[in-house]
Structure formats: C-alpha cells, structure tokens
Amino acid sequence: MKLGKAELCHLLQLIALFLCFSGMSQAELSRSRSKPYFPSGRPRTKRSWVWNQFFVLEEYMGSDPLYVGKLHSDVDKGDGSIKYILSGEGASSIFIIDENTGDIHATKRLDREEQAYYTLRAQALDRLTNKPVEPESEFVIKIQDINDNEPRFLDGPYTAGVPEMSPVGTSVVQVTATDADDPTYGNSARVVYSILQGQPYFSVEPKTGVIKTALPNMDREAKDQYLLVIQAKDMVGQNGGLSGTTSVTVTLTDVNDNPPRFPRRSYQYNVPESLPVASVVARIKASDADIGANAEMEYKIVDGDGLGVFKISVDKDTQEGIITIQKDLDFEAKTSYTLRIEAANKDADPRFLSLGPFSDTTTVKIIVEDVDEPPVFSSPLYPMEVSEATQVGNIIGTVAAHDPDSSNSPVRYSIDRNTDLERYFNIDANSGVITTAKSLDRETNAVHNITVLAMESQNPSQVGRGYVAITILDINDNAPEFAMDYETTVCENAQPGQVIQKISAVDKDEPSSGHQFYFSLTTDTTNNHNFSLKDNKDNTASVLTRRNGFRRQEQSVYYLPIFIVDSGSPSLSSTNTLTIRVCDCDADGVAQTCNAEAYVLPAGLSTGALIAILACVLTLLVLILLIVTMRRRKKEPLIFDEERDIRENIVRYDDEGGGEEDTEAFDMTALRNLNVIRDTKTRRDVTPEIQFLSRPTFKSIPDNVIFREFIWERLKEADVDPCAPPYDSLQTYAFEGNGSVAESLSSLDSLSSNSDQNYDYLSDWGPRFKRLADMYGTGQEGLYS
C-alpha cells in the first residue's frame, strides 16, 4: 500500500518524536547509590545525578510548549523540598523548567539552521535554605534537523561558452547548489542535478553538476546560443525532496569551419585610361560565415594578363579585396585585362580540411575606356646647354610631343611664362625649336628651368607639360679683382723686405680647369722705392717694403696699383689699388695710431690757444642771443599782449547770439558788404606809405574783379592795423560779393522789407508756428494767447 505525501510527512514526524522520547528517557536523572551531597567543607561525595544530551525536533508548530526532557535528583524525595533551576543559552527565553518536577519545555519554534544546539546549566537547590544539594552540571540540547531548506544556486544564473562542432561529452561548465540542512543527518542535504530544459543538446552529471555537450556537430552558423534550466533536488532526488533551479546560457564560439566563397563567378568593371596610378579600380568580397579572426582573408591574383598592371590588397576592416592600378593604362595599347583572383582564409583549421579547400576563385575582367588625353612629350625632361656668349635668336634645342589618341591631333608649343619671367627664350609653336630671346649671363642665372606646354590644335583644353633644364656654359667675361677690401698698414719703423700684406683675387667666372691668377705692379709703379710685389704662384701675392723710415708727417697714405691677370682665353685683367697707411706701432709691430693730424699742431697753435679761441666764440654767441631776446621783448607790447598770443592761446567766448531777432549783437552786413566804411587805424610800429581814405564803388564791376579788390583792400588794412601780427597770418572773410538781380533771399531783412506777401495763413498752422505768425502776420494778436 503506497503512502501519500501527507501520510509520509506524518510518519516522519512520529519517528522523530519516538527518537526524541527515547533520548529523553535516557536523559532522565537516575538515582545514585552514593551518599547525599553535603555543602562545601565536608568530604566530596560522588555526583548523585547524571544526564546525557537532549534532542528537540526543529520547526515544531504545536500550540503547547514542546516537552524536551526531565531533570531528577536522588536527593528529591518527592516532598517538594527540592527545586530545580536552569541557566545558560536560551534559559527562560526559549527553555523553561518546572522547579518542582524538573520538566523542561521549549516555548518557541526552533530552527537548526539558525542555531544547531544550546548549552545550559542545571542545579538542584534546597527550597528552605536555597543551597545546592547537587553540584551544577552542563548539558546540551541539540536541535534535530528536518528537511525544510531547498537547494540554492548561489552563483546563478550562469553563462558559458563552448566551441562549435565540439564532440559529445565536451565539458561546458559546472553548477553547484548548496542546501542549508544538516549534511550529517539523513538525506536532507544530499543533492542531485538534472536538466529540465536544453535537451537533447546538453546533459548534466547528477552528482557533480558538470554540464556537457550531448550532440555532435553543433553549428554556430545554424544556432549560436542555448538556454538551459538545471534543477538541484535534495533527499537524493526522491519524492518529497525540495528542489531549486538555475539558468545557464551557453554560447557556441566560432571555429574556422566555413571556407570563403565568392557570390559570383565573374565580375566586369570599366575604367578610363586616364585613371592615375594607385587608383582603386574595383572592390570584391568573398563571403565567409565565420566571424572574427576565422573570417580574415587574403586575396591574390593567380592568373591573367594584368599581373604587372594591377595588384590586389585586403581591407582589414571590411575584408574586401581592393584592386588598384600599378601602371598607366593606355587604350591604344590594350583595351581589356582579365584577372583570376583567389580568396583564402589566413588561418585554416586542420580539423576541417576534410570539408574541402578553404579558398575560392573568381574572374575579373577590366575594360579600358578611351578618353581624350593631352599631348605626351617624348621625354619627361630635356637637358640642354648653351654658351652665355650665344647670339640672340640662336637655336638651343628641340622638344617633341604627340597626341596619344587615335585622332593624332596636331600639337602647338608654348612656354609657360611663369617659369620664364624675364623672357629669355622663345619656342616655335609648330616645330618645338627653342631659341634665345635675350643675352644670357651665367653669373646671373646658371640654370634655367622652364616648362613647355603642348596643346592639341583641335581641343586646346588638352595641354601636356614638358620640362626643359637649360644650363648656361661659362665664358671668360669677368676680370679678376681683389678678394676683399684690404686695410693695409705699414709701421714707421718697418724694415726693408718686410711683408705687410698678403692679397688674393676672385673671379666670377668658373673655368673648368680652375682659376690661375698672376699679380704684378703696373708699369708706372715698377720703379717705386717704397713697396714691391711678389707673386706667390698660388693665386696670392705678398706686398713688401723696399725701405725703412716711413714718416707720417711726410706722407701718411700710399696708393699701390696692382695688376691682376686671369688664365682665361682670352685672358682678362684689371688694376686694383691697395691703400697703405703709415702707422705708429708698438714693439710687437701692432699699429697704435695712424692719424697724421697730431703732427700738425706744433707747427700752428697750441692747445691752450685753441681752447681760448673757442671760449671767445661761445661768449660772443651768448651775447648775441641776449640782445635778440631783449629786442623782441621790447617790441611785443606794441603788437599784442602776452596773454593773447594767438599762436599759443585759445580764446573762448561764451556769448550766444539771439538768432534772427538779435540785430544788436553784430552787424551781419559788415561781413558781406564791401562798401561798409571802416575806421582807418594806424599802426604804431610802422609808418604806412599809403593811407586809404575812401572806398571805391564796385556795383558795375565784374565779380572776379570785386573779389580781387576786396582782398587787396583787406590786405592793406592788415598792413596798417596795429593789432595785426608782424608775421604771415591767415585772414578769413565771409564776403559773398555784391547783391544779385534777384536780391537777397535772407530773412534777416524781412521785417524792413516792403513786401506785399501776406503771412496771415501762418496763424492757421497751429501752435508750432505761433512765433512766425506773431513776427510776420497781421491778424489777431491774441489768437493763441
């Protein structure tokens, strides 16, 4: 007869209670045959009560306190004279004792996983004297385990990886579950593992929890991830056991089990012939189902007629094969190319070579398209040479270019003037012959690098460029000269034959055999008695003295002409003058003083006389300055006051006029009327030669004459004006000439005019025109008051 789960649980509880009661019966106090216990001071007697450990079932759910056991002493006669006390872990809070009978009960639910046992102390006391009748003893209450904790995966959920195509039984990962129940008692903590999800691909070892592959040839490209559910069950997996689960995510890692494959067996691309070298012609890619390093490929051209014209490389980011040009394409030479390209994995796995070759090939055809190309020169660089003595118009050389297209259009030549700014050369537009256009000078520019343009006659936009390097050949057209400006000195105490200067020469020409100079004195100085010249035969010469006793007071400077000849053909010569100064030297022959003026003083005035003369001159200058200053101070009050110097002072007037109504401040007509009579003022510092007493009338004189006369009159007035400055000054007048036929348009004389104009309408224009209405109107005066 089979038992259900409820009946099985009740049976287990009964067995546990039976075991507990049997333990308590063993723990009851047994009577001892020894003498009773006496207090300290008397001879020690044998303990008369002994017990073993008690057992209590955990997780008791009853309403009454759980009976644990009984304490009893042989001294206890059952008359109530003995009482029992309990101390230690959980005493009074968890465990209580009946002081009369010694029965121990548990008042709370106990959990073995929280505390597996309790250590307590028991003692029997005389109720009257409260003195122990038995020595205190320790005992243990051990909590009996039941299966109340399920297994737990503390490290879950798990993730793991295994290579694809792994054989059966390949270990993937190990899972571990823990059970908090007592592993030493029963099967409550004995766990077995099983797989609930993930079959038939994976399996798990029941005892160890190791997950292994269960199927061969699992392909990542078909499915790369699996989710497993693993169960751990206690009670050795029997019915009634508790269980826990966890998830395991298994990812298949890639292996190189797929060869590369081109999606097409052939490709075709069109490229223009003008495409420059290193340009990309095409990109092709072989597909590979693998990923990462297993999908890395290498491309190479294995066959075809374009092996030297094209090359292929791999793009490491996209794994594409990049076809580029290595040489210039020419439609006229070849119109198409065929390439056989192979793609292969870099690292093949030997385990899968049996599946087939890990490479693939395809055919690429490249069609070259014709384009209109610029003319091409027969040489990339034309080196030419010409003598700098060549005549203008002489031929230097010829360049040649042709149209590479099938049309073979005629070509015209020209020089890029940006490379020949001085226009030294010309080129024949039809033949390409280069000639000189100017005289050439090698010393100015030894090499001319010019660019020649070749243009198609039918399509001028197609221009080719050729480069010409013209080297100017040297001729002997420059005479030698001193290598530097020499500062030559000779000591007064120099001895005959002493070298005072070593000279050399330079020549702007560059003869192929090198320079060779010859030095000599000119014919007119060959017989001089002062200096001689020695040619050292190494392009240098030495200047020597021929006598001693040079004196600065006799002659301080000597000029020595030197004749220099080069070795050119024909040879050129020049005469260079060496300046030699006579100096006073120290004992080592170092020049100290080279001035000859110091010797002039003894023949003339002494130093004291010169100082006296200079002091007299300075005194006279000071007196002259004082006299001029005093005279100017006496004249200044006659002209203007010091505080009103118009050259240095700014005079500010804060007087404001009254506008058109102010006719009292000044007379405007004085500025504009020539005929105003002005009082003649006589200058006190000069006597005028002419006094103007009247003003002529200019009404009938033309305007230019009027202005000329006006300026002349004002000039004469300034000459006799005592307030005018005695120097040139700027006089400004606002003279506008006499009145016109239309008379004045100014409103200054409006009040005095006899005009018949009626201004009464100004009163109708509002308050803003009130002032004008009062000035010119004749209507009601109190209209706006």
Side-chain angles (χ1 to χ4, degrees):
M1 181 177 182
K2 296 182 179 180
L3 296 177
K5 290 185 177 181
E7 290 81 358
L8 182 61
C9 290
H10 290 157
L11 179 60
L12 292 174
Q13 290 180 358
L14 290 175
I15 294 173
L17 289 174
F18 173 76
L19 293 174
C20 198
F21 288 145
S22 64
M24 286 188 295
S25 63
Q26 294 176 4
E28 287 186 357
L29 297 178
S30 60
R31 178 178 296 273
S32 175
R33 295 180 180 179
S34 61
K35 295 182 179 180
Y37 169 76
F38 294 98
S40 60
R42 296 184 180 185
R44 184 176 182 270
T45 61
K46 183 180 179 181
R47 179 186 297 175
S48 58
W49 62 324
V50 179
W51 55 82
N52 296 324
Q53 61 183 357
F54 293 114
F55 293 91
V56 180
L57 192 66
E58 69 170 335
E59 302 295 344
Y60 173 70
M61 305 300 293
S63 59
D64 297 330
L66 178 62
Y67 181 76
V68 176
K70 183 180 180 66
L71 299 181
H72 184 72
S73 175
D74 292 342
V75 183
D76 188 1
K77 303 300 183 181
D79 55 0
S81 61
I82 302 299
K83 69 174 181 178
Y84 299 93
I85 61 173
L86 194 65
S87 62
E89 292 181 318
S92 301
S93 60
I94 298 177
F95 302 101
I96 59 175
I97 188 171
D98 189 330
E99 64 178 12
N100 295 320
T101 63
D103 293 335
I104 302 174
H105 292 80
T107 60
K108 293 183 179 180
R109 181 175 64 87
L110 302 177
D111 188 357
R112 190 203 66 83
E113 287 71 38
E114 293 182 1
Q115 188 166 348
Y117 61 91
Y118 295 85
T119 302
L120 295 96
R121 295 181 299 277
Q123 195 169 31
L125 302 178
D126 187 284
R127 188 178 296 277
L128 296 178
T129 63
N130 206 27
K131 293 181 179 180
V133 297
E134 295 284 351
E136 185 180 62
S137 298
E138 282 188 351
F139 67 97
V140 175
I141 299 177
K142 189 173 182 180
I143 310 302
Q144 193 72 40
D145 183 45
I146 64 172
N147 189 20
D148 60 342
N149 291 278
E150 72 277 4
R152 296 179 181 272
F153 293 93
L154 302 181
D155 298 328
Y158 296 85
T159 58
V162 63
E164 63 172 332
M165 310 300 288
S166 295
V168 175
T170 302
S171 178
V172 179
V173 69
Q174 183 179 17
V175 296
T176 303
T178 58
D179 195 318
D181 293 325
D182 190 358
T184 64
Y185 178 75
N187 296 323
S188 299
R190 296 182 62 184
V191 177
V192 293
Y193 300 93
S194 61
I195 182 168
L196 301 182
Q197 178 181 324
Q199 294 174 331
Y201 306 103
F202 298 93
S203 63
V204 63
E205 288 286 340
K207 293 183 179 181
T208 61
V210 175
I211 299 173
K212 299 180 179 181
T213 58
L215 283 181
N217 301 327
M218 285 190 292
D219 192 2
R220 184 199 66 83
E221 288 73 32
K223 185 177 181 180
D224 63 346
Q225 199 171 78
Y226 296 86
L227 179 62
L228 312 181
V229 178
I230 304 299
Q231 175 184 265
K233 190 174 184 179
D234 59 13
M235 299 299 292
V236 200
Q238 298 178 0
N239 291 335
L242 303 179
S243 64
T245 60
T246 186
S247 64
V248 180
T249 302
V250 180
T251 301
L252 296 183
T253 58
D254 186 53
V255 297
N256 192 5
D257 59 338
N258 293 279
R261 291 290 181 264
F262 283 105
R264 296 168 55 184
R265 305 319 302 170
S266 64
Y267 299 85
Q268 180 173 318
Y269 299 95
N270 296 346
V271 295
E273 63 173 333
S274 59
L275 202 63
V277 174
S279 299
V280 176
V281 175
R283 286 175 174 263
I284 60 175
K285 184 177 182 181
S287 59
D288 192 329
D290 297 323
I291 59 174
N294 296 319
E296 292 181 358
M297 283 175 279
E298 294 177 338
Y299 296 88
K300 60 181 179 179
I301 302 175
V302 295
D303 195 8
D305 55 359
L307 289 175
V309 181
F310 302 94
K311 72 173 182 178
I312 188 168
S313 58
V314 63
D315 187 332
K316 295 183 179 180
D317 295 330
T318 63
Q319 296 302 314
E320 291 179 310
I322 305 173
I323 302 174
T324 55
I325 301 176
Q326 281 187 298
K327 294 182 179 179
D328 290 326
L329 301 178
D330 188 358
F331 173 82
E332 289 72 25
K334 191 173 181 60
T335 59
S336 66
Y337 296 89
T338 301
L339 307 176
R340 189 75 175 168
I341 297 177
E342 180 186 78
N345 283 131
K346 292 180 63 176
D347 301 315
D349 195 331
R351 295 178 300 171
F352 306 105
L353 292 179
S354 59
L355 300 178
F358 276 74
S359 63
D360 194 18
T361 59
T362 188
T363 301
V364 177
K365 187 173 183 179
I366 299 174
I367 306 298
V368 180
E369 297 177 343
D370 187 24
V371 296
D372 190 6
E373 299 176 277
V376 178
F377 283 87
S378 59
S379 175
L381 177 65
Y382 293 88
M384 299 181 183
E385 294 180 348
V386 62
S387 173
E388 63 177 327
T390 189
Q391 299 296 321
V392 174
N394 284 358
I395 296 176
I396 301 174
T398 304
V399 297
H402 69 281
D403 184 6
D405 299 320
S406 57
S407 60
N408 195 16
S409 175
V411 175
R412 296 183 61 83
Y413 302 94
S414 63
I415 294 177
D416 185 356
R417 291 305 176 183
N418 291 325
T419 60
D420 185 26
L421 297 176
E422 300 295 331
R423 296 180 176 268
Y424 284 108
F425 307 98
N426 289 328
I427 188 170
D428 188 273
N430 297 317
S431 63
V433 174
I434 300 175
T435 58
T436 57
K438 283 185 178 181
S439 297
L440 304 176
D441 185 9
R442 189 203 64 82
E443 288 71 35
T444 302
N445 193 353
V447 178
H448 295 265
N449 294 303
I450 63 174
T451 301
V452 177
L453 307 178
M455 183 185 306
E456 288 186 13
S457 300
Q458 297 178 0
N459 187 5
S461 62
Q462 295 297 329
V463 179
R465 285 175 169 78
Y467 303 97
V468 181
I470 302 175
T471 302
I472 310 301
L473 301 179
D474 186 38
I475 63 171
N476 191 23
D477 59 344
N478 291 278
E481 58 187 11
F482 278 158
M484 58 181 293
D485 293 332
Y486 295 100
E487 295 182 359
T488 307
T489 61
V490 60
C491 296
E492 289 182 308
N493 56 356
Q495 299 299 320
Q498 180 178 342
V499 177
I500 61 173
Q501 183 67 60
K502 187 176 183 179
I503 61 174
S504 61
V506 293
D507 194 329
K508 294 181 181 179
D509 297 321
E510 292 183 1
S512 58
S513 59
H515 291 289
Q516 181 63 47
F517 302 113
Y518 305 97
F519 300 87
S520 63
L521 296 178
T522 58
T523 56
D524 55 343
T525 59
T526 303
N527 297 323
N528 78 85
H529 302 288
N530 299 314
F531 305 98
S532 63
L533 184 68
K534 177 185 178 182
D535 192 339
N536 298 325
K537 308 300 182 179
D538 59 353
N539 290 339
T540 63
S542 301
V543 179
L544 300 88
T545 58
R546 300 187 67 177
R547 67 179 180 86
N548 58 2
F550 294 93
R551 294 180 59 82
R552 284 180 291 169
Q553 61 270 28
E554 295 178 358
Q555 185 173 350
S556 62
V557 179
Y558 293 88
Y559 299 99
L560 185 65
I562 299 176
F563 187 70
I564 307 175
V565 183
D566 61 17
S567 59
S569 178
S571 61
L572 297 180
S573 62
S574 66
T575 300
N576 298 264
T577 301
L578 182 67
T579 302
I580 304 173
R581 292 182 174 274
V582 181
C583 300
D584 181 21
C585 302
D586 57 12
D588 296 329
V590 178
Q592 300 296 319
T593 305
C594 298
N595 295 328
E597 289 77 6
Y599 289 91
V600 180
L601 293 177
L605 298 176
S606 64
T607 304
L610 290 176
I611 295 175
I613 293 173
L614 184 60
C616 293
V617 172
L618 292 176
T619 303
L620 290 175
L621 290 176
V622 171
L623 290 176
I624 293 172
L625 289 176
L626 289 175
I627 294 171
V628 172
T629 302
M630 294 299 295
R631 291 189 62 185
R632 291 192 63 181
R633 287 187 178 181
K634 291 180 180 180
K635 291 181 180 181
E636 283 177 359
L638 298 177
I639 302 174
F640 51 87
D641 188 57
E642 182 179 358
E643 294 181 356
R644 300 187 61 186
D645 189 349
I646 62 175
R647 294 171 298 172
E648 300 178 357
N649 297 285
I650 298 176
V651 180
R652 178 177 177 180
Y653 299 94
D654 293 329
D655 185 18
E656 297 182 359
E660 293 183 351
E661 294 183 0
D662 187 2
T663 59
E664 301 296 333
F666 58 88
D667 189 2
M668 291 289 294
T669 59
L671 297 176
R672 294 180 169 86
N673 194 350
L674 178 65
N675 300 324
V676 176
I677 303 299
R678 298 171 60 128
D679 295 336
T680 302
K681 298 180 181 179
T682 305
R683 294 187 63 163
R684 292 175 292 174
D685 58 339
V686 295
T687 302
E689 298 178 357
I690 302 175
Q691 295 291 337
F692 295 91
L693 301 176
S694 61
R695 299 289 186 269
T697 304
F698 299 101
K699 289 186 178 180
S700 60
I701 302 177
D703 287 343
N704 57 347
V705 178
I706 293 175
F707 287 108
R708 188 184 307 114
E709 294 296 334
F710 176 81
I711 294 173
W712 180 256
E713 292 295 327
R714 293 298 182 267
L715 179 60
K716 293 301 182 181
E717 291 180 4
D719 289 339
V720 298
D721 188 358
C723 296
Y727 43 79
D728 294 340
S729 61
L730 178 65
Q731 302 290 333
T732 304
Y733 303 100
F735 177 63
E736 298 179 357
N738 292 332
S740 64
V741 178
E743 297 184 348
S744 176
L745 299 179
S746 174
S747 62
L748 295 177
D749 297 331
S750 299
L751 290 177
S752 61
S753 64
N754 296 323
S755 174
D756 295 331
Q757 178 70 32
N758 186 5
Y759 296 100
D760 292 341
Y761 62 87
L762 294 176
S763 301
D764 301 331
W765 286 9
R768 292 186 178 181
F769 297 91
K770 177 179 180 298
R771 192 63 177 171
L772 290 176
D774 293 343
M775 294 173 59
Y776 299 98
T778 58
Q780 299 178 3
E781 298 180 356
L783 182 60
Y784 298 105
S785 59

